[in-house]
PDB file of all heavy atoms in Angstrom:
ATOM      1  N   LYS T 445      13.337  68.271 -20.446  1.00 56.00           N
ATOM      2  CA  LYS T 445      13.175  68.514 -21.966  1.00 56.00           C
ATOM      3  C   LYS T 445      13.503  69.956 -22.350  1.00 56.00           C
ATOM      4  O   LYS T 445      14.053  70.194 -23.487  1.00 56.00           O
ATOM      5  CB  LYS T 445      11.687  68.322 -22.125  1.00 56.00           C
ATOM      6  CG  LYS T 445      11.233  66.913 -22.146  1.00 56.00           C
ATOM      7  CD  LYS T 445       9.825  66.596 -22.400  1.00 56.00           C
ATOM      8  CE  LYS T 445       9.221  65.197 -22.321  1.00 56.00           C
ATOM      9  NZ  LYS T 445       7.959  65.048 -22.745  1.00 56.00           N
ATOM     10  N   ALA T 446      13.248  70.909 -21.402  1.00 50.00           N
ATOM     11  CA  ALA T 446      13.277  72.354 -21.955  1.00 50.00           C
ATOM     12  C   ALA T 446      14.491  73.082 -21.432  1.00 50.00           C
ATOM     13  O   ALA T 446      14.887  74.105 -21.995  1.00 50.00           O
ATOM     14  CB  ALA T 446      11.994  73.052 -21.645  1.00 50.00           C
ATOM     15  N   GLY T 447      15.020  72.702 -20.159  1.00 48.00           N
ATOM     16  CA  GLY T 447      16.082  73.546 -19.544  1.00 48.00           C
ATOM     17  C   GLY T 447      15.491  74.464 -18.518  1.00 48.00           C
ATOM     18  O   GLY T 447      14.272  74.868 -18.730  1.00 48.00           O
ATOM     19  N   PRO T 448      16.320  75.018 -17.606  1.00 46.00           N
ATOM     20  CA  PRO T 448      15.712  75.864 -16.532  1.00 46.00           C
ATOM     21  C   PRO T 448      15.063  77.171 -17.109  1.00 46.00           C
ATOM     22  O   PRO T 448      14.209  77.728 -16.358  1.00 46.00           O
ATOM     23  CB  PRO T 448      17.001  76.024 -15.733  1.00 46.00           C
ATOM     24  CG  PRO T 448      18.119  75.846 -16.567  1.00 46.00           C
ATOM     25  CD  PRO T 448      17.633  74.715 -17.527  1.00 46.00           C
ATOM     26  N   LYS T 449      15.423  77.708 -18.161  1.00 45.00           N
ATOM     27  CA  LYS T 449      15.040  79.105 -18.520  1.00 45.00           C
ATOM     28  C   LYS T 449      13.461  79.062 -18.759  1.00 45.00           C
ATOM     29  O   LYS T 449      12.856  80.043 -18.670  1.00 45.00           O
ATOM     30  CB  LYS T 449      15.791  79.527 -19.826  1.00 45.00           C
ATOM     31  CG  LYS T 449      17.171  79.878 -19.517  1.00 45.00           C
ATOM     32  CD  LYS T 449      17.896  80.362 -20.852  1.00 45.00           C
ATOM     33  CE  LYS T 449      19.270  80.820 -20.612  1.00 45.00           C
ATOM     34  NZ  LYS T 449      19.887  81.364 -21.908  1.00 45.00           N
ATOM     35  N   GLN T 450      12.912  77.902 -19.152  1.00 42.00           N
ATOM     36  CA  GLN T 450      11.601  77.785 -19.524  1.00 42.00           C
ATOM     37  C   GLN T 450      10.683  77.245 -18.321  1.00 42.00           C
ATOM     38  O   GLN T 450       9.427  77.027 -18.531  1.00 42.00           O
ATOM     39  CB  GLN T 450      11.266  77.049 -20.671  1.00 42.00           C
ATOM     40  CG  GLN T 450      11.843  77.748 -21.973  1.00 42.00           C
ATOM     41  CD  GLN T 450      11.991  76.761 -23.221  1.00 42.00           C
ATOM     42  OE1 GLN T 450      12.539  75.607 -23.175  1.00 42.00           O
ATOM     43  NE2 GLN T 450      11.343  77.207 -24.302  1.00 42.00           N
ATOM     44  N   LEU T 451      11.174  77.200 -17.101  1.00 41.00           N
ATOM     45  CA  LEU T 451      10.498  76.418 -16.043  1.00 41.00           C
ATOM     46  C   LEU T 451       9.191  77.307 -15.656  1.00 41.00           C
ATOM     47  O   LEU T 451       8.271  76.912 -15.289  1.00 41.00           O
ATOM     48  CB  LEU T 451      11.301  76.337 -14.913  1.00 41.00           C
ATOM     49  CG  LEU T 451      12.422  75.217 -14.946  1.00 41.00           C
ATOM     50  CD1 LEU T 451      13.238  75.089 -13.665  1.00 41.00           C
ATOM     51  CD2 LEU T 451      11.684  73.878 -15.186  1.00 41.00           C
ATOM     52  N   VAL T 452       9.368  78.690 -15.840  1.00 44.00           N
ATOM     53  CA  VAL T 452       8.358  79.571 -15.311  1.00 44.00           C
ATOM     54  C   VAL T 452       7.128  79.518 -16.271  1.00 44.00           C
ATOM     55  O   VAL T 452       6.075  80.037 -15.959  1.00 44.00           O
ATOM     56  CB  VAL T 452       8.899  81.018 -15.239  1.00 44.00           C
ATOM     57  CG1 VAL T 452       9.890  81.086 -14.057  1.00 44.00           C
ATOM     58  CG2 VAL T 452       9.494  81.538 -16.528  1.00 44.00           C
ATOM     59  N   ASP T 453       7.270  78.942 -17.520  1.00 46.00           N
ATOM     60  CA  ASP T 453       6.278  79.021 -18.484  1.00 46.00           C
ATOM     61  C   ASP T 453       5.413  77.798 -18.336  1.00 46.00           C
ATOM     62  O   ASP T 453       5.541  76.645 -18.763  1.00 46.00           O
ATOM     63  CB  ASP T 453       6.743  78.987 -19.918  1.00 46.00           C
ATOM     64  CG  ASP T 453       5.604  79.319 -20.900  1.00 46.00           C
ATOM     65  OD1 ASP T 453       4.439  79.264 -20.619  1.00 46.00           O
ATOM     66  OD2 ASP T 453       5.992  79.509 -22.144  1.00 46.00           O
ATOM     67  N   SER T 454       4.324  78.074 -17.515  1.00 44.00           N
ATOM     68  CA  SER T 454       3.477  76.856 -17.040  1.00 44.00           C
ATOM     69  C   SER T 454       2.672  76.279 -18.194  1.00 44.00           C
ATOM     70  O   SER T 454       2.210  75.186 -18.099  1.00 44.00           O
ATOM     71  CB  SER T 454       2.603  77.277 -15.929  1.00 44.00           C
ATOM     72  OG  SER T 454       1.660  78.188 -16.375  1.00 44.00           O
ATOM     73  N   ARG T 455       2.548  76.873 -19.293  1.00 48.00           N
ATOM     74  CA  ARG T 455       1.773  76.357 -20.447  1.00 48.00           C
ATOM     75  C   ARG T 455       2.605  75.271 -21.189  1.00 48.00           C
ATOM     76  O   ARG T 455       2.058  74.495 -22.027  1.00 48.00           O
ATOM     77  CB  ARG T 455       1.599  77.508 -21.550  1.00 48.00           C
ATOM     78  CG  ARG T 455       0.645  78.658 -20.864  1.00 48.00           C
ATOM     79  CD  ARG T 455       0.705  79.713 -21.893  1.00 48.00           C
ATOM     80  NE  ARG T 455       1.996  80.283 -21.961  1.00 48.00           N
ATOM     81  CZ  ARG T 455       2.211  81.437 -22.771  1.00 48.00           C
ATOM     82  NH1 ARG T 455       1.251  81.955 -23.545  1.00 48.00           N
ATOM     83  NH2 ARG T 455       3.435  81.935 -22.906  1.00 48.00           N
ATOM     84  N   ARG T 456       3.873  75.161 -20.941  1.00 52.00           N
ATOM     85  CA  ARG T 456       4.762  74.278 -21.690  1.00 52.00           C
ATOM     86  C   ARG T 456       4.891  72.699 -21.198  1.00 52.00           C
ATOM     87  O   ARG T 456       5.363  71.900 -21.802  1.00 52.00           O
ATOM     88  CB  ARG T 456       6.111  74.829 -21.932  1.00 52.00           C
ATOM     89  CG  ARG T 456       6.105  76.151 -22.747  1.00 52.00           C
ATOM     90  CD  ARG T 456       7.556  76.656 -22.742  1.00 52.00           C
ATOM     91  NE  ARG T 456       7.599  77.828 -23.641  1.00 52.00           N
ATOM     92  CZ  ARG T 456       7.782  77.882 -24.944  1.00 52.00           C
ATOM     93  NH1 ARG T 456       7.934  76.790 -25.595  1.00 52.00           N
ATOM     94  NH2 ARG T 456       7.646  78.948 -25.711  1.00 52.00           N
ATOM     95  N   GLY T 457       4.605  72.601 -19.898  1.00 68.00           N
ATOM     96  CA  GLY T 457       4.839  71.347 -19.213  1.00 68.00           C
ATOM     97  C   GLY T 457       3.930  70.958 -18.082  1.00 68.00           C
ATOM     98  O   GLY T 457       3.012  71.902 -17.745  1.00 68.00           O
ATOM     99  N   PRO T 458       4.127  69.954 -17.415  1.00 80.00           N
ATOM    100  CA  PRO T 458       3.222  69.631 -16.253  1.00 80.00           C
ATOM    101  C   PRO T 458       3.473  70.594 -15.072  1.00 80.00           C
ATOM    102  O   PRO T 458       4.606  70.993 -14.821  1.00 80.00           O
ATOM    103  CB  PRO T 458       3.854  68.142 -15.813  1.00 80.00           C
ATOM    104  CG  PRO T 458       4.682  67.703 -16.965  1.00 80.00           C
ATOM    105  CD  PRO T 458       5.229  68.924 -17.637  1.00 80.00           C
ATOM    106  N   THR T 459       2.446  70.973 -14.535  1.00 92.00           N
ATOM    107  CA  THR T 459       2.418  72.000 -13.380  1.00 92.00           C
ATOM    108  C   THR T 459       1.311  71.562 -12.474  1.00 92.00           C
ATOM    109  O   THR T 459       0.464  70.743 -12.728  1.00 92.00           O
ATOM    110  CB  THR T 459       2.107  73.405 -13.879  1.00 92.00           C
ATOM    111  OG1 THR T 459       0.953  73.420 -14.389  1.00 92.00           O
ATOM    112  CG2 THR T 459       3.183  73.956 -14.902  1.00 92.00           C
TER     113      THR T 459
END
Side-chain angles (χ1 to χ4, degrees):
K445 296 181 180 180
K449 290 183 180 180
Q450 294 171 304
L451 286 180
V452 295
D453 189 349
S454 62
R455 295 169 299 178
R456 294 179 176 274
T459 62

